[in-house]
Amino acid sequence: MPPPDPQLYRDPWGKREAWRKHPVFSRRQMFARAFPGFGVALVAFTAYVIADNLLTKGKAH
């Protein structure tokens, strides 16, 4: 028995649906773009807290 013709089962909407599988629309990319600047803000806040704790270590509040 010969294999089925690939044109017979070709998806007619394949080209129109191809954008859904593009890496830009992956879950990781969507989550990374959900909170722009969060990484920078987290690093800056951490540096501030560490500096504040080091500079005011011996002083009473």
Side-chain angles (χ1 to χ4, degrees):
M1 182 171 181
D5 186 19
Q7 293 293 334
L8 183 63
Y9 297 108
R10 190 174 75 83
D11 184 12
W13 294 96
K15 287 183 182 179
R16 292 178 180 90
E17 296 291 322
W19 66 270
R20 295 179 191 265
K21 293 179 177 61
H22 196 275
V24 171
F25 298 106
S26 69
R27 288 185 189 261
R28 180 177 175 157
Q29 286 295 327
M30 294 296 238
F31 183 72
R33 293 185 180 161
F35 304 107
F38 180 72
V40 175
L42 185 65
V43 170
F45 180 72
T46 304
Y48 167 75
V49 169
I50 290 172
D52 189 46
N53 285 337
L54 289 176
L55 293 175
T56 61
K57 192 169 193 168
K59 298 178 184 174
H61 291 296

